[in-house]
Amino acid sequence: MSYFEKVKNTEIKKDAVIMGIESSCDETAVAIVKNGREILADEIISSATEHARFGGVVPEIASRNHTVAILTATENALKSAGLTLNDIDAFAVTEGAGLLGALLVGVSFAKAVAYSTDKPLVPVSHIRGHIAAAYLADKTLKPPFVTILASGGHTAIIAVEDYYKLTVLGGTIDDAVGEAFDKVARVLGLNYPGGPNVERLAKTGQNTVKLPKMLAHYDGGEYDFSYSGLKTAVINYVHTEQQKGNEVNKADVADSFQHSAIDVLVEKAVMAMKKTGYTTLAVSGGVGANGYLRDLLKETCEKRGYKLVLPEKRYCTDNGAMIAAEGYLQYLKGNFADLTLNAKAVVPLK
């Protein structure tokens, strides 16, 4: 009997314990979550400091570090939870999107432990994982709600209609907001990762640099975003001032960029709340850790009477717990993979 024949009719447990494995970029993350809500263990081994020397993630370095770290992260998670591999009901793994070589490390490892224990292998979209982080932040949360997806690879406003149905109301037509933060950080001479360093610098600056309002004359969807022009405007401003021999107030540039990049996220989320009639707003993705965004969301939701679900900063960035949380939902549906599961550099935003 093949592995898949053994696991395809697995009895579904409501109190299932899921191991989530995440290796899409520069964090090797393994977590163990019960019921899709209760975190039993959460381990992250990051290689960000090694990539900082190069100003961004180097795929080959990321892949090698995942190979070295994944067993340690798994052993630490099991020890922290007081469990063994045989106590795990299913292994959820990020199949995409992300760096292909990095993803392959996690997928290959997950296939190995699933096969060796005769437990289900559950493929998870990294995007859905970020959205599922809201269920870890609020254990009583149920759809429907609107989520702001803001990360290095994606920017979108999404209506979460139920646990499985997502409707993308609008998204970026070019750069993602996290990508823009990294590129602006580079022109300001800040180290990788750009987001936290731009935020830190912005705290000492003022919103005084005039930057364009994105998509002012765009005929597309009203919930769409564009960060390419904003990023270019910052680069042009800095270079122009330097060519004139003027000293650039980098803190003011950072603060002005941060306002332009984030204000529109909240504005369009409010538009989506009005359109859907939903009363709960969540945030997902690495940019969700940005302090200005979090404060603005709190202020906006309090003013408008919306419930705000804001994951801890640790669960906005890449982590295994969010993969386990989404993996639990897929497990309940019996969405199991066989050993032909492969990594995908791109997955649909749905």
Side-chain angles (χ1 to χ4, degrees):
M1 183 181 295
S2 70
Y3 158 78
F4 191 66
E5 289 174 328
K6 292 179 182 178
V7 302
K8 66 180 180 181
N9 293 318
T10 296
E11 180 184 353
I12 303 300
K13 300 178 183 178
K14 184 178 180 181
D15 294 331
V17 175
I18 309 295
M19 176 177 284
I21 300 169
E22 155 64 22
S23 67
S24 65
C25 193
D26 57 348
E27 279 93 16
T28 309
V30 178
I32 301 172
V33 175
K34 184 178 180 180
N35 299 329
R37 309 266 176 159
E38 182 184 352
I39 300 172
L40 304 181
D42 175 31
E43 297 292 327
I44 300 176
I45 301 175
S46 176
S47 59
T49 54
E50 296 186 46
H51 300 290
R53 294 183 295 148
F54 304 96
V57 176
V58 180
E60 180 63 24
I61 292 175
S63 300
R64 290 181 180 182
N65 276 277
H66 287 310
T67 303
V68 172
I70 195 164
L71 181 58
T72 300
T74 303
E75 290 174 339
N76 289 346
L78 289 168
K79 183 178 179 180
S80 178
L83 302 174
T84 69
L85 283 177
N86 288 325
D87 296 317
I88 305 300
D89 293 306
F91 296 91
V93 62
T94 304
E95 64 170 338
L99 302 174
L100 193 58
L103 288 164
L104 280 168
V105 176
V107 169
S108 299
F109 183 81
K111 287 197 288 187
V113 291
Y115 176 76
S116 67
T117 56
D118 283 335
K119 299 293 178 65
L121 174 66
V122 182
V124 171
S125 158
H126 185 80
I127 298 164
R128 283 183 171 268
H130 272 306
I131 294 170
Y135 301 125
L136 301 172
D138 182 350
K139 293 179 173 56
T140 65
L141 177 65
K142 297 179 181 179
F145 57 90
V146 169
T147 189
I148 301 172
L149 173 62
S151 70
H154 300 91
T155 305
I157 301 294
I158 299 173
V160 182
E161 298 182 33
D162 61 37
Y163 287 114
Y164 302 101
K165 185 178 180 181
L166 308 178
T167 298
V168 180
L169 301 177
T172 182
I173 61 174
D174 42 57
D175 292 353
V177 60
E179 181 183 0
F181 265 93
D182 285 338
K183 290 178 178 177
V184 167
R186 188 172 302 173
V187 79
L188 294 178
L190 303 176
N191 291 330
Y192 173 86
N197 288 318
V198 170
E199 179 189 354
R200 193 174 298 114
L201 181 60
K203 290 179 180 178
T204 62
Q206 295 183 335
N207 180 20
T208 57
V209 179
K210 187 176 180 180
L211 294 172
K213 185 175 182 179
M214 65 177 71
L215 300 182
H217 305 291
Y218 178 57
D219 293 328
E222 61 181 331
Y223 302 100
D224 287 338
F225 301 89
S226 169
Y227 284 96
S228 179
L230 176 59
K231 168 206 68 182
T232 302
V234 173
I235 293 171
N236 288 344
Y237 172 82
V238 172
H239 288 172
T240 298
E241 291 300 301
Q242 290 173 338
Q243 289 167 0
K244 290 179 179 179
N246 297 333
E247 182 177 351
V248 176
N249 188 320
K250 294 183 178 180
D252 286 353
V253 174
D255 192 49
S256 301
F257 163 75
Q258 184 169 254
H259 275 79
S260 294
I262 287 175
D263 288 356
V264 69
L265 279 172
V266 178
E267 290 171 9
K268 295 199 174 188
V270 169
M271 290 166 55
M273 297 291 282
K274 292 178 180 178
K275 176 183 175 67
T276 60
Y278 298 166
T279 58
T280 300
L281 176 63
V283 64
S284 54
V287 180
N290 179 276
Y292 173 66
L293 172 60
R294 296 170 78 89
D295 289 343
L296 184 58
L297 283 170
K298 290 174 184 176
E299 178 185 330
T300 301
C301 289
E302 183 178 351
K303 183 184 301 182
R304 295 180 175 273
Y306 299 146
K307 177 181 178 180
L308 176 63
V309 178
L310 207 55
E312 292 179 29
K313 292 184 178 183
R314 179 183 179 90
Y315 299 113
C316 290
T317 54
D318 293 350
N319 62 88
M322 69 183 195
I323 301 304
E326 176 61 24
Y328 175 76
L329 296 177
Q330 300 301 324
Y331 164 86
L332 293 180
K333 283 185 68 176
N335 182 17
F336 305 153
D338 60 25
L339 297 179
T340 65
L341 178 67
N342 206 350
K344 302 177 179 68
V346 179
V347 295
L349 189 64
K350 63 179 183 178

